Amino acid sequence: MATPAENNKVELENSDSDTSFLSDVEEVDHMKILSSSGADGLQFVDSYFQREASSLLTDNSDLYSNTCDNSSLNTSLLPWERLADWIHCFCVVTFDLEIGQMIEEIYPSHVTLSEQDKTSICYLAFPDSNSGCMGDTQFHFRIRQSSANVDGNNGSSQMDLSNPIPKAHSRYNQLCPPAFRTDSSYWWGFAYFRQVKDKNLRRGYFQKSLVIVTRLPFVELFQELMAVIAPEFFDKGSICLEISAKEIDQWPRPVPGIVLNLPLLGTLFQVRIPSFSAAASPSFSTSLTASPSKTSSNSLLRRRCLIATDVDLYSALAPLLPHLQMLWELLLCGEPLVVMATSPSICSHVVQALVNLIHPLQYCLDYRPFFTIHDSEFKEYTGRPSDPPPSVLLGVTNPFFAKALQHWPHIIRIGGDILSSSAGLKIRATKSNVSSSSKMSECKPGVYTSYKSHLTRDKALLKLIAKGAQTRRPNQVQSALMRRHFLELTQSFIIPLERYFARLMPLQKSISPYKAVPGLSPFKAEEFLASVEHCGPQLTTGVKGDWTGLYRRFLRTPNFESWSQQRHQEANNKLRALQMDALSQSDITSWLQGKREVEVVDMVLRLREKLNVTLAEETLPVSPQTRLHLQGQLDTVLQSLPEDLRSVLKAS
């Protein structure tokens, strides 16, 4: 393990393949931001979507105007409105000898949670077994929101009962990649658990946990926040929560694509949230050198630069490094997978890192970084040994799961210190003639699976990371190398899908301003699979193997369904926008010649509907000029009608 002094300096050799990686920690953060632009320049074949995202960033300029200057905050904001944009509440969970785990305090006090959600948070805020978690332990969990919690908002945020998330989150979801969107069906919990001996207590131990409950999947940000807030809370009490909440309530809204200055308890967090459009995202170094008028008030604060959604891949997955490509396949195909570890911090870290392996694809199956025997889905997910395991990803610590989940096809068992074994975990194949009980009775660390990979192992990453370990390369750089490798691998996997999907789009010349918008051709799985042999990922990556077989399995998963639905929505929005543009540029005067009055009225209604849609649907890539031209076309059509009918239509 490298010392802190060594971590601040990287010896770069001319022969290294990572000579472009920077030594300073702040520069490493900058490198992580730019890591998506790999050496081979892999990009999505999705240019129209990039334009759509850029137009969103342009049209929502008012959303950006106050993000870096707290002095310009709108004074008309309701109390805790900005707090609700970031977190739902703080929960203090303690242990009562008679009741067990219970919520001692919720702050702000007016926040509501369903009884089921409170119970889930209580059990997940503490380790699930006697794992010896003495001192301080940080981890996170993800729970399904109880359906009874229809009014579970912070009071001040503008909510819609059919989609109970703050409006700021709706805008956030439009600008960020799908993998980082908020989901109104789930809560995230970031816990800081403290257990120390205390002779003054009957139990002999002080046990308490502070939890941030939120909808935002900002793993690195909230872990860093808890590392600042929780020690102060345990030292000074609830006054720390009040101070923290008031500071967060002054933060700008969570807007992807720019650097946000977030001061908290003497630390300035300079945070970037990933966005779709790299062109609209200023570089980290540029953003950190803002004008003195915007940074002088924070000049005395400790500064921490980070990407909100990052996960330390190297620390989490180093023992699994030889098997990561196989695990990447399992995640793509939505296979049931459980991570068994000795502490919630390890299992939650590993599960989150695994989910990050398939970015920029969204992992659309349920996953629980920390899952306990008290979870409401415990019976649903464990089931009977004769039942097929559900397609979920679980992180567990209770030894009971070794028996309850012994019939699962893929099990990762991790020992104590996740970095204690430089040799990595071994594949321990499960065979049909070996009983599950004997399979798990040894409880040895390893990857228990009989899965046969479709692809041959790419040894380039193994050599690169191994060399970094020998030269004591900082963990941040190691993680960035791993992230870039799997980003490029996933992009290579997506490119043939994007290319085939582009063929399903109708020709632009087939779009008529006066007819219905043409639809996409259907996605034919066999036709796509036949094209993989000639234009598959082997053209953009050195990994060989049965890519067709891997695609065949992927096409049957929720991961593909989500990708396909998203692409169809984007394509349909683009086609609608093109049709509106064609209508705005058409010769409406010539069209009016010889038209019956009922047809003209119908055109008025159609133009009105399209104008209303451009205002209501922010994801529609329609320019202000097109809206202006459509309004002009509407005025022209109205003028062609008799005055009495025109008056009726204007009044309606």
Side-chain angles (χ1 to χ4, degrees):
M1 182 71 66
T3 64
E6 291 167 331
N7 281 340
N8 289 331
K9 186 69 176 177
V10 183
E11 295 181 2
L12 300 177
E13 302 177 14
N14 292 332
S15 60
D16 271 355
S17 61
D18 63 324
T19 52
S20 62
F21 286 85
L22 307 174
S23 59
D24 186 81
V25 172
E26 182 178 313
E27 292 176 322
V28 168
D29 283 331
H30 172 53
M31 181 274 299
K32 289 193 290 184
I33 295 169
L34 301 178
S35 63
S36 60
S37 57
D40 55 1
L42 292 175
Q43 298 291 336
F44 278 162
V45 187
D46 194 12
S47 58
Y48 72 80
F49 182 71
Q50 294 292 345
R51 292 196 297 272
E52 176 184 341
S54 299
S55 67
L56 276 172
L57 290 166
T58 303
D59 294 344
N60 287 282
S61 58
D62 60 320
L63 197 61
Y64 284 76
S65 58
N66 297 332
T67 54
C68 293
D69 188 358
N70 289 342
S71 64
S72 61
L73 289 176
N74 190 342
T75 57
S76 65
L77 290 174
L78 295 172
W80 305 125
E81 184 170 353
R82 286 290 173 87
L83 176 71
D85 291 340
W86 289 93
I87 70 171
H88 185 67
C89 65
F90 292 101
C91 289
V92 180
V93 182
T94 189
F95 189 89
D96 185 275
L97 281 176
E98 297 180 358
I99 302 175
Q101 285 146 242
M102 58 174 288
I103 291 185
E104 181 179 82
E105 180 182 2
I106 295 178
Y107 193 88
S109 58
H110 69 274
V111 170
T112 58
L113 287 167
S114 72
E115 289 304 315
Q116 179 61 56
D117 289 342
K118 290 179 182 178
T119 300
S120 297
I121 291 170
C122 279
Y123 284 121
L124 287 162
F126 279 38
D128 191 29
S129 61
N130 296 323
S131 56
C133 294
M134 295 298 294
D136 295 346
T137 305
Q138 272 192 265
F139 56 95
H140 67 281
F141 54 85
R142 183 173 180 261
I143 61 172
R144 189 179 296 165
Q145 179 182 329
S146 171
S147 58
N149 188 31
V150 294
D151 62 342
N153 58 74
N154 284 23
S156 58
S157 288
Q158 302 178 51
M159 308 283 283
D160 181 90
L161 293 181
S162 63
N163 185 28
I165 59 174
K167 284 190 175 181
H169 288 186
S170 298
R171 299 187 185 99
Y172 161 83
N173 282 348
Q174 295 166 12
L175 302 176
C176 73
F180 303 127
R181 288 175 181 166
T182 63
D183 187 339
S184 61
S185 301
Y186 288 90
W187 291 118
W188 288 79
F190 295 86
Y192 193 107
F193 171 72
R194 174 167 290 185
Q195 177 174 262
V196 293
K197 291 183 178 181
D198 190 337
K199 297 179 180 179
N200 298 322
L201 300 176
R202 286 176 56 192
R203 188 176 174 84
Y205 290 92
F206 170 87
Q207 293 177 311
K208 187 171 288 191
S209 187
L210 178 64
V211 181
I212 285 179
V213 180
T214 179
R215 295 194 190 279
L216 296 169
F218 296 165
V219 176
E220 181 164 346
L221 173 61
F222 286 120
Q223 286 179 341
E224 292 289 338
L225 294 183
M226 288 300 283
V228 172
I229 297 172
E232 292 292 323
F233 164 75
F234 287 119
D235 184 36
K236 299 181 175 62
S238 297
I239 186 65
C240 174
L241 302 184
E242 181 180 352
I243 295 171
S244 299
K246 287 182 177 178
E247 287 200 63
I248 296 173
D249 197 43
Q250 298 299 311
W251 285 2
R253 299 192 188 281
V255 180
I258 63 173
V259 173
L260 304 172
N261 291 325
L262 312 177
L264 181 70
L265 301 181
T267 299
L268 175 63
F269 294 92
Q270 295 191 299
V271 179
R272 182 181 180 274
I273 304 169
S275 69
F276 272 121
S277 178
S281 305
S283 70
F284 208 76
S285 58
T286 302
S287 300
L288 292 182
T289 56
S291 62
S293 61
K294 293 186 178 183
T295 60
S296 59
S297 60
N298 297 319
S299 59
L300 299 179
L301 301 180
R302 296 187 301 273
R303 191 173 68 174
R304 181 75 177 91
C305 306
L306 52 91
I307 299 177
T309 56
D310 259 7
V311 179
D312 186 349
L313 297 183
Y314 179 69
S315 296
L317 303 177
L320 299 168
L321 190 60
H323 320 302
L324 285 186
Q325 188 169 292
M326 179 196 69
L327 294 173
W328 176 81
E329 289 187 29
L330 293 177
L331 293 162
L332 276 181
C333 298
E335 286 286 313
L337 181 62
V338 60
V339 176
M340 297 183 178
T342 56
S343 75
S345 59
I346 293 177
C347 72
S348 62
H349 192 186
V350 173
V351 168
Q352 199 65 49
L354 288 173
V355 170
N356 275 253
L357 282 186
I358 66 169
H359 285 179
L361 275 176
Q362 181 181 11
Y363 185 76
C364 296
L365 296 96
D366 192 9
Y367 66 97
R368 307 298 176 89
F370 179 43
F371 189 77
T372 75
I373 60 175
H374 302 288
D375 270 274
S376 58
E377 291 82 25
F378 173 74
K379 291 184 179 179
E380 175 188 347
Y381 286 167
T382 53
R384 295 176 299 180
S386 58
D387 297 334
S391 297
V392 295
L393 170 58
L394 303 180
V396 302
T397 60
N398 196 314
F400 173 78
F401 285 105
K403 181 178 181 180
L405 304 181
Q406 62 185 0
H407 61 291
W408 278 41
H410 317 293
I411 299 173
I412 300 173
R413 181 178 288 279
I414 297 174
D417 185 358
I418 199 169
L419 289 176
S420 60
S421 175
S422 59
L425 299 181
K426 295 181 179 180
I427 289 284
R428 302 183 184 276
T430 60
K431 300 180 181 179
S432 57
N433 60 348
V434 178
S435 67
S436 296
S437 58
S438 62
K439 172 185 73 176
M440 294 303 299
S441 61
E442 298 179 354
C443 294
K444 293 181 179 179
V447 181
Y448 292 80
T449 182
S450 57
Y451 178 80
K452 301 299 181 183
S453 299
H454 289 274
L455 309 178
T456 58
R457 183 184 298 179
D458 184 3
K459 297 181 180 180
L461 178 65
L462 297 177
K463 294 178 181 178
L464 186 60
I465 298 301
K467 188 170 186 179
Q470 294 173 359
T471 58
R472 297 183 178 181
R473 184 188 292 144
N475 286 358
Q476 290 169 303
V477 180
Q478 295 278 72
S479 292
L481 286 167
M482 293 171 64
R483 182 175 295 108
R484 186 176 69 178
H485 174 87
F486 284 101
L487 174 70
E488 293 177 356
L489 182 62
T490 305
Q491 287 180 327
S492 293
F493 182 79
I494 294 173
I495 284 175
L497 288 164
E498 298 278 4
R499 186 182 295 116
Y500 178 80
F501 191 85
R503 291 165 49 190
L504 306 181
M505 291 279 287
L507 297 176
Q508 187 166 348
K509 65 181 181 181
S510 67
I511 299 175
S512 169
Y514 310 118
K515 296 180 180 179
V517 179
L520 278 73
S521 301
F523 188 102
K524 298 179 181 179
E526 292 303 322
E527 185 178 72
F528 165 74
L529 293 172
S531 69
V532 172
E533 183 179 353
H534 305 289
C535 54
Q538 64 273 12
L539 300 179
T540 52
T541 178
V543 180
K544 307 297 181 183
D546 182 16
W547 284 100
T548 302
L550 183 59
Y551 278 115
R552 191 178 298 278
R553 296 186 63 174
F554 174 73
L555 295 180
R556 298 194 294 262
T557 68
N559 291 333
F560 170 73
E561 290 178 10
S562 174
W563 176 88
S564 179
Q565 289 174 5
Q566 179 190 340
R567 287 297 178 263
H568 273 85
Q569 182 180 359
E570 294 159 7
N572 288 330
N573 283 346
K574 180 60 179 177
L575 291 172
R576 290 164 63 197
L578 288 173
Q579 203 258 359
M580 290 183 192
D581 187 62
L583 181 57
S584 70
Q585 300 296 331
S586 66
D587 186 356
I588 199 73
T589 304
S590 298
W591 179 86
L592 287 169
Q593 301 297 322
K595 291 295 185 292
R596 293 176 299 169
E597 193 172 271
V598 65
E599 294 178 284
V600 177
V601 171
D602 182 65
M603 177 58 74
V604 170
L605 298 178
R606 286 173 55 193
L607 284 166
R608 276 186 177 176
E609 180 188 7
K610 293 184 184 300
L611 282 168
N612 291 335
V613 164
T614 62
L615 296 175
E617 298 185 26
E618 297 181 13
T619 57
L620 205 61
V622 177
S623 66
Q625 292 81 3
T626 298
R627 295 191 189 102
L628 187 62
H629 291 159
L630 284 174
Q631 183 62 53
Q633 300 284 52
L634 176 60
D635 294 339
T636 301
V637 175
L638 282 171
Q639 289 299 322
S640 69
L641 291 170
E643 184 175 352
D644 56 342
L645 182 55
R646 185 165 63 245
S647 300
V648 172
L649 288 172
K650 287 183 176 180
S652 61

